[in-house]
Amino acid sequence: MTELEQEIKHTGATFTPESLATFLAEKIAKYSTLDSNQISVLDPSCGDGELLLAMGKLLCSQKNEFLLRGCDLNLKYLEESTNRLNQFTNVDLIEGDFLEAISLTDQNKQIDLFTSDEVSNTLNNSADIIIANPPYVRTQILGAEKAQLLAKKFGLTGRVDLYYPFLIAMTESLVENGILGVITSNRYLSTKGGESIRKYLVDNYEILEVIDLGDTKLFNAAVLPAIFIGKKKSKIKGGILKEGSFTKVYEELNGISPTHSSADIYELLNENESGCYSILDKKFNLSKGSLRYTTGTKDLWQMLSDAETEWVHRLEDNSQSKVKDHFKVRVGVKTTADSVFVRDDWNELSQKPESEILYPLITQQNIGKWSLDDKLALELLYTHYDENGKKKVIDLKKYPNAANYLEQHKKELSARTYVIKAKRNWFEIWVPQNPALWKLPKLVFPDISVEPRFYLDNSGSVVNGNCYWIAAEDRNQLDILYLLQGVANSSIMIKYHDLIFNNKLYSGRRRYFSQYVENYPLPDECSSESKAVIKLIKELNANKPTHDIKTQSKLDKLVTRAFGLD
């Protein structure tokens, strides 16, 4: 890895391609109604100047007077920006940290790394337009001291991405009714961790347009990007339902035939009709419609076309309950040292740990809808046991072989300082969960998967941390657990999952977070249609079929009827 590549990885810098910069500049101009004598444009992390260049060219074509301002910590990037922007007469590029220069509304004092207070003070409430692609990096990667300063200044808690404080700082830089056009990770659109960001944007902006670029790979970033375009507003009372517009585009990996075609992604993004489009040898699903959100809340924003909205409402209207009304969704165990605790070759060791503390392990790699992959027989050295429903730590004196094995790895295990600080034994699994529940019938599903894999386990196996699980703690819940397995493994729930939670990674891989699955709708378990689903699921669990089209089709038809859909 070159020095520049290492620097980019550490800072989270991701340069914007020319086509994407032009696309964003044109989107911003569509919403801008500024008629000031001179339009002030700011890029707070300008890098090589591509976004400012695109905005400058567009304003020139409209014969506007403008000032291009850019900030960046990297002098090499600023030199490149200077060379590329020398065609414009009004350019102001500043070397410094935008986040540290901005004063927040509720602060009397600012931390300033710029050369003069006069320069930094002009950044607040100064920009008519902000066009930005801030760094993609967790604040923790910046180092403890820097992360703590940012957390204190911007009121951040937990693990947050750097673009969140950038959004706050950029808002302080915008004039009222100014336009923000920013490229960020799309994670905040669909995760519980994005609640604070969604609420902040709703509280401070009239949301004009959100474009989820999905897995289109428009530029070299590990995250999936999204564009947010909003108009800064005065704060208003919460609870008001508002609308903007949205566009979503993801690669279609199933056998759906495209009904439209486009020359490239940018032409596709400007299409007016939702549907499946072909671009060269790939297919993409385009969805466009009204983005609905409620002010003053952290709720997910609804990004559905009219047809999708109608379908979702029909399914939900025919639902009797949600998963969370019946079950708790739990995450699996997290050892934080899998190379020590998880193996498939325990029998090959000269001194194998005692069998009574070795448990078969269900994990992302061996789970299927109806069966496990026997070729991957993993076992977990489990350092806890159940005593009257309470979790206890094993006494190593009772397990000399295991004690000897763990002692061989003591250096690695003791390096987990957070275990020691929590006053735990150095040899413990970090998140052991409750062993009393393993023996109950439970649904297990991986946290990331192209297709749903909700597997029913009756073996008492332990669930790994890359999976979630749902136990039937009451025997009366067993039929509901079967019903849930059928619903969750159906194509109907794939569609619902994608529409409501919209959290895909590259190559069609879906995220199955607990907050998603616990909100899955369920039909009336007492209806004849639901009983037909339960009967089929019992047969499938008993026969453990391999995945085939006929089985899936039969399941999909029964689940469709259970929800009262066509």
Side-chain angles (χ1 to χ4, degrees), residues 279-566:
I279 300 177
L280 298 178
D281 59 342
K282 291 189 175 182
K283 299 178 294 182
F284 292 90
N285 272 325
L286 177 73
S287 180
K288 302 178 80 80
S290 296
L291 180 144
R292 297 177 177 87
Y293 61 96
T294 303
T295 58
T297 74
K298 298 179 181 180
D299 295 342
L300 287 175
W301 300 342
Q302 188 181 84
M303 300 171 66
L304 302 174
S305 68
D306 291 342
E308 290 166 345
T309 299
E310 180 185 358
W311 186 88
V312 166
H313 285 173
R314 286 178 60 204
L315 185 146
E316 291 179 341
D317 288 345
N318 288 315
S319 301
Q320 183 77 13
S321 60
K322 292 185 177 182
V323 170
K324 63 184 177 183
D325 297 325
H326 306 280
F327 306 106
K328 180 178 180 180
V329 181
R330 296 176 167 87
V331 71
V333 301
K334 296 182 184 295
T335 71
T336 62
D338 279 3
S339 61
V340 176
F341 292 104
V342 179
R343 305 179 69 129
D344 62 356
D345 62 347
W346 292 107
N347 289 328
E348 297 176 17
L349 299 182
S350 58
Q351 196 174 42
K352 175 185 174 183
E354 287 74 8
S355 296
E356 61 187 284
I357 56 173
L358 290 177
Y359 287 76
L361 186 69
I362 301 176
T363 185
Q364 166 85 247
Q365 290 75 30
N366 66 4
I367 190 172
K369 284 185 178 180
W370 316 114
S371 61
L372 297 178
D373 183 358
D374 295 334
K375 296 177 182 177
L376 188 61
L378 295 171
E379 288 185 304
L380 170 75
L381 175 56
Y382 195 59
T383 57
H384 293 77
Y385 68 97
D386 169 55
E387 184 176 275
N388 299 322
K390 292 186 177 180
K391 181 173 67 255
K392 301 277 189 175
V393 182
I394 61 172
D395 182 357
L396 284 185
K397 293 178 181 178
K398 296 180 179 180
Y399 304 99
N401 290 355
N404 181 56
Y405 172 80
L406 291 169
E407 191 68 36
Q408 294 173 31
H409 298 279
K410 186 172 183 177
K411 183 177 180 180
E412 179 182 348
L413 297 178
S414 297
R416 302 176 301 159
T417 54
Y418 46 87
V419 176
I420 310 302
K421 288 180 180 178
K423 297 182 179 179
R424 307 265 298 277
N425 294 296
W426 60 269
F427 61 85
E428 285 187 53
I429 287 173
W430 175 235
V431 182
Q433 299 297 359
N434 188 345
L437 299 177
W438 298 128
K439 59 188 177 183
L440 299 177
K442 58 183 182 289
L443 272 187
V444 186
F445 55 97
D447 62 346
I448 299 174
S449 184
V450 172
E451 65 172 13
R453 290 181 282 158
F454 286 73
Y455 170 73
L456 185 73
D457 176 63
N458 283 300
S459 70
S461 296
V462 178
V463 179
N464 200 12
N466 55 21
C467 294
Y468 293 94
W469 57 292
I470 299 170
E473 299 182 50
D474 184 334
R475 299 298 297 185
N476 294 326
Q477 293 179 312
L478 197 50
D479 274 359
I480 303 177
L481 196 69
Y482 289 133
L483 179 61
L484 168 56
Q485 186 183 15
V487 168
N489 277 332
S490 72
S491 299
I492 287 79
M493 198 47 55
I494 290 178
K495 180 177 179 179
Y496 183 85
H497 184 107
D498 289 349
L499 291 177
I500 299 300
F501 308 117
N502 189 45
N503 191 352
K504 282 187 184 177
L505 304 173
Y506 290 114
S507 303
R509 293 178 299 151
R510 294 175 175 85
R511 299 302 302 264
Y512 287 90
F513 289 134
S514 58
Q515 65 260 36
Y516 297 166
V517 175
E518 69 183 10
N519 282 297
Y520 275 11
L522 293 172
D524 181 2
E525 67 270 18
C526 296
S527 71
S528 58
E529 292 83 4
S530 291
K531 288 179 179 179
V533 174
I534 294 168
K535 180 182 177 184
L536 174 63
I537 294 304
K538 289 179 179 179
E539 293 172 359
L540 294 175
N541 285 325
N543 298 327
K544 301 187 182 303
T546 55
H547 180 67
D548 64 82
I549 296 174
K550 287 184 179 180
T551 299
Q552 188 65 52
S553 178
K554 185 175 182 180
L555 174 62
D556 291 342
K557 287 179 181 178
L558 291 176
V559 173
T560 299
R561 292 171 188 161
F563 278 115
L565 301 173
D566 295 332

Side-chain angles (χ1 to χ4, degrees), residues 23 27 209 211-218 246-252 258-280 282-288:
F23 176 80
K27 281 290 181 183
E209 188 167 358
I211 304 170
D212 183 354
L213 297 170
D215 54 358
T216 52
K217 301 180 182 177
L218 290 182
F246 80 87
T247 300
K248 290 188 296 187
V249 58
Y250 281 82
E251 186 175 358
E252 173 57 60
T259 54
H260 314 274
S261 63
S262 280
D264 56 36
I265 288 293
Y266 297 103
E267 181 178 293
L268 173 61
L269 290 170
N270 286 313
E271 296 282 359
N272 293 319
E273 186 176 350
S274 299
C276 185
Y277 286 75
S278 63
I279 300 177
L280 298 178
K282 291 189 175 182
K283 299 178 294 182
F284 292 90
N285 272 325
L286 177 73
S287 180
K288 302 178 80 80

Side-chain angles (χ1 to χ4, degrees), residues 154-178:
F154 292 97
L156 309 176
T157 57
R159 296 169 61 85
V160 297
D161 288 299
L162 195 58
Y163 65 82
Y164 186 15
F166 262 96
L167 287 170
I168 298 172
M170 288 188 290
T171 304
E172 298 291 344
S173 262
L174 269 180
V175 300
E176 191 170 317
N177 295 319

